[in-house]
Amino acid sequence: MNKTVLKTTIVSVLMFGFAFALVPLYDTFCELTGLNGKTGDPVAEDIIKKQVVDENREITVQFDANVNSQLNWEFRPTEFNMKVVPGKLYKTEYYAKNLSKKRAITGRATYSVAPGKASLYFNKTECFCFTEQTLEPQEEVLMPVTFIVDSNLREDVDIMTLSYTFYEFDSKNKI
Amino acid sequence: MSHTTTLDHEHDHDHKPKGFVNRWLMTTNHKDIGTLYLVFALIMFIAGGALAMIIRLELFQPGLQFVEPDFFNQLTTMHALIMVFGAVMPAFVGFANWMIPMMIGAPDMALPRMNNWSFWILPFAFIMLGSTFFMDGGAPAAGWTLYPPLVLQGGKNLAFAVFAIHMMGISSIMGAINVIATIMNMRAPNMGYLKMPLFVWTWLITAFLLIAVMPVFAGAVTMLLTDHYFGTTFFNAAGGGDPVLFQHIFWFFGHPEVYIMILPSFGIISEIIPTFARKPLFGYVSMVYASAAIAFLSFIVWAHHMFSVGMPFGAELYFMYATMLISIPTGVKVFNWVATMWKGAMTFETPMLFAIAFVILFTIGGFSGLMMSIAPADFQYHDTYFIVAHFHYVLVTGAVFAIIGGVYYWIPKWTGNMYSERLGKIHFWWSTISVNVLFFPQHFLGLAGMPRRIPDYSTQFTEFNMWSSIGGFAFGLAQVFFCIIVWRTVKGKGTTKATDRVWDSAKGLEWFVPSPAPHHTFQDGAPVKDEQLAHVSSH
């Protein structure tokens, strides 16, 4: 009887831990499959060299910018659409301005790529994701994004959207 | 056996502890704890029902009449939390406490002191949860699924709700461990696994589900708590978290949870139908396997609650097909119940009426579930009154009808008094007609696009909502009537003395002890005789 109680108690404790284990499992799963528009980390230069430029395909990349309601910033892409060829490196910029007249504000952006099935083929070599950005009152900044659309992108995708959302960064929002 | 039970009966009066505190607060007796659970569940059922009455009152006509939208959201949230964790689950634990030891020939539950503790945690958990109604910002109002970010934007209730859920979880887990330890270690000699009544089998499986998923729920709400108060960002996109992750964790718990609320009902129905059809249960072994299959499948279908959240096509397909698979073991069960009744010498006492209504109405709920398992169609049904109709068919005319049927079936054994058959039948027809008036129109409302959890609606929905509210008030009143029937039976008013066997062809060990069941039973450890059992498998 004690054995049964011990075993069932251990199962309960392990399942409590399992709930927390689901957090990294979910993240890994999303990164591997591109679920939720996760694109993985910025790619190294040597991956870029392996790309085959496919001049016959034209992909439209749309740029989207959002500001969380609690962040007093202006934030927008400098261009909304870009026609790109898979395998080539492109650069664009986002514009941000601290609208506050008194306060320096630190923001941090999250991003995603839609459609989800294309997100794994969107490689950023430089971006401002998850880095803290402090703007002095009324300060403006241009933030570059360089990216390359993988030449193995599936046939049925010809439009992709890169979306950024800026949040105010405070100690409550630590990763 | 009859000799020993007579002895028990004579000892009975000496062994009951004297005084209210000793008898109820300090009790370690499985029958007294079972009674406590059942009474607690009935009180919570009335409390949760009262909230539902206010909801139906507000929805009687379009526009805002009686309550503010925010309070309406608190009502729907608390109605669900109270009914799920306060009424249905404790009622089944009450049945388990009363019946499992008597059905397997055990003198008590395996861990009687823990049994006392797991009950007495519950009133405190629900006082804490209920107290949030009186706080700044009121009770939780984000729905019983507690989805972030909405739930994190409420008032001061979050910590109270989370700790209340922790306490309920600890209570359920201890109860489940107790059930498993009892069934696996305390069966009387000659009570093999495949001789156990189906109620015991379904509870054993339910207990395993409980220890597997209640801790996951506890983990999920703990993450909500730390997100809100300690700056973690499990579900906060600003810190790299993901609100959808909560939905996955919640439904990994939530789907097995809905089977935790239905498997014991299957067990109760499988006890009632053979008694009144006067035939052994058809396909006993297939019933056991079907229950286990349902329990297994419950772990791999969770995301069908989230079809519209934005999932890849492949995942939608997988969860759709896996969900449809569940209808096979469930179909086996419904088939077996019908086959048990086939050519049986049936009589229609109140427990049997509730059992038959269960089979029919639960199946309707199953069919609407099957409709929603179709992923593309679910985009239309999602978060409408169609889902509300669906889960009330499986939980009210399913789980609650099984509980009420079980109460009528075993209350003569518990109290020694035969309830009034006339009042029971009135209660049955009153409940069955009104519950259909209450929930059936909600299917149409949902298909026409009326969203759930909204206190107002467009005027074209008025008639069906009025029907639904009238059915709701009638059903609520019928359950007050049920309380009166139970009270009269306990007090022996207008009742007759119950015989030991109670029903003329009832089988199973509980019918071979006196009525009312003595305070202590099966203390001699004598082997069980096969002829007393309903199922004697050749295994």
Side-chain angles (χ1 to χ4, degrees), chain A residues 1 4-5 8-9 11-13 15-16 18-20 22-23 26-27 30 35-36 38 108 110 130 167-168 171-175, chain B residues 110-111 173 177 180 185-186 211-212 215-216 218-219 222-223 228 231 233-234 236-240 242 244-245 248-249 252 312:
Chain A
M1 174 142 29
T4 319
V5 176
T8 46
T9 310
V11 171
S12 310
V13 173
M15 288 310 286
F16 185 71
F18 179 69
F20 290 88
L22 281 172
V23 178
Y26 178 77
D27 280 343
C30 288
L35 267 176
N36 282 353
K38 298 215 175 181
R108 189 173 55 186
T110 65
F130 292 121
Y167 295 86
E168 175 154 5
S171 53
K172 271 184 95 176
N173 290 344
K174 282 189 301 253
I175 289 189
Chain B
L111 309 150
I173 291 165
I177 290 175
I180 294 171
N185 299 289
M186 307 227 350
I211 60 165
V216 175
T222 306
M223 287 184 241
H228 194 63
T233 56
F234 289 110
N236 182 353
D242 188 344
V244 176
L245 171 62
H248 282 290
I249 302 177
F252 182 82

Side-chain angles (χ1 to χ4, degrees), chain A:
Chain A
M1 174 142 29
N2 286 337
K3 252 187 172 172
T4 319
V5 176
L6 187 70
K7 279 186 206 159
T8 46
T9 310
I10 290 172
V11 171
S12 310
V13 173
L14 287 180
M15 288 310 286
F16 185 71
F18 179 69
F20 290 88
L22 281 172
V23 178
L25 275 174
Y26 178 77
D27 280 343
T28 313
F29 186 76
C30 288
E31 254 162 54
L32 288 178
T33 57
L35 267 176
N36 282 353
K38 298 215 175 181
T39 60
D41 298 322
V43 290
E45 294 290 321
D46 55 327
I47 296 180
I48 298 165
K49 285 178 192 138
K50 285 184 193 154
Q51 294 290 331
V52 188
V53 179
D54 182 2
E55 295 284 355
N56 297 324
R57 270 187 93 179
E58 190 184 69
I59 311 289
T60 306
V61 179
Q62 303 173 323
F63 301 99
D64 174 48
N66 305 284
V67 193
N68 177 267
S69 60
Q70 272 134 40
L71 179 66
N72 192 17
W73 278 16
E74 183 188 350
F75 175 53
R76 57 179 160 80
T78 51
E79 53 195 327
F80 292 94
N81 286 302
M82 199 186 245
K83 305 263 186 224
V84 305
V85 167
K88 263 192 186 169
L89 194 63
Y90 291 89
K91 181 178 178 185
T92 184
E93 284 173 328
Y94 274 74
Y95 167 86
K97 181 183 179 185
N98 183 355
L99 298 176
S100 168
K101 291 191 173 125
K102 292 180 189 141
R103 193 163 76 91
I105 299 177
T106 305
R108 189 173 55 186
T110 65
Y111 65 92
S112 70
V113 172
K117 60 188 173 187
S119 58
L120 283 183
Y121 301 94
F122 190 89
N123 302 308
K124 295 184 280 359
T125 55
E126 182 188 2
C127 80
F128 50 89
C129 6
F130 292 121
T131 49
E132 283 119 53
Q133 184 90 34
T134 305
L135 295 186
E136 297 303 319
Q138 299 290 319
E139 186 187 348
E140 296 165 299
V141 68
L142 282 174
M143 293 174 291
V145 179
T146 54
F147 64 93
I148 183 166
V149 175
D150 197 303
S151 44
N152 296 317
L153 177 67
R154 25 191 308 168
E155 290 289 323
D156 56 346
V157 178
D158 50 12
I159 301 180
M160 324 174 67
T161 308
L162 173 65
S163 173
Y164 279 97
T165 304
F166 251 106
Y167 295 86
E168 175 154 5
F169 176 82
D170 57 37
S171 53
K172 271 184 95 176
N173 290 344
K174 282 189 301 253
I175 289 189

Side-chain angles (χ1 to χ4, degrees), chain B residues 14 31 71 99 122 126 182 209 308 318 321:
Chain B
D14 302 325
K31 298 186 184 82
F71 185 64
M99 302 318 300
L122 276 183
F126 280 89
T182 306
L209 289 182
S308 63
Y318 161 73
Y321 291 133

Side-chain angles (χ1 to χ4, degrees), chain B residues 9 20 48 89 95 176 178 279 424 434 451 457 539:
Chain B
H9 194 56
F20 183 85
M89 287 170 68
F95 277 107
N178 215 340
K279 275 175 65 191
S434 61
Y457 51 81
H539 293 254

Side-chain angles (χ1 to χ4, degrees), chain B residues 436-454:
Chain B
N436 281 291
V437 176
L438 165 57
F439 292 122
F440 209 81
Q442 296 184 357
H443 288 115
F444 307 128
L445 286 170
L447 289 177
M450 178 173 163
R452 65 192 284 211
R453 293 171 174 157
I454 307 283

Side-chain angles (χ1 to χ4, degrees), chain B residues 36-103:
Chain B
L36 286 171
Y37 265 111
L38 287 165
V39 170
F40 178 78
L42 189 59
I43 294 169
M44 286 293 115
F45 181 58
I46 298 300
L51 302 184
M53 293 300 106
I54 309 176
I55 293 172
R56 283 318 322 171
L57 189 68
E58 177 56 48
L59 291 174
F60 188 75
Q61 16 172 341
L64 296 177
Q65 275 80 230
F66 299 97
V67 296
E68 292 295 313
D70 182 54
F71 185 64
F72 185 88
N73 292 343
Q74 297 174 28
L75 289 175
T76 54
T77 306
M78 292 291 278
H79 164 73
L81 288 172
I82 290 172
M83 287 303 201
V84 169
F85 297 105
V88 174
M89 287 170 68
F92 284 134
V93 183
F95 277 107
N97 267 293
W98 253 105
M99 302 318 300
I100 287 176
M102 285 212 287
M103 284 176 152

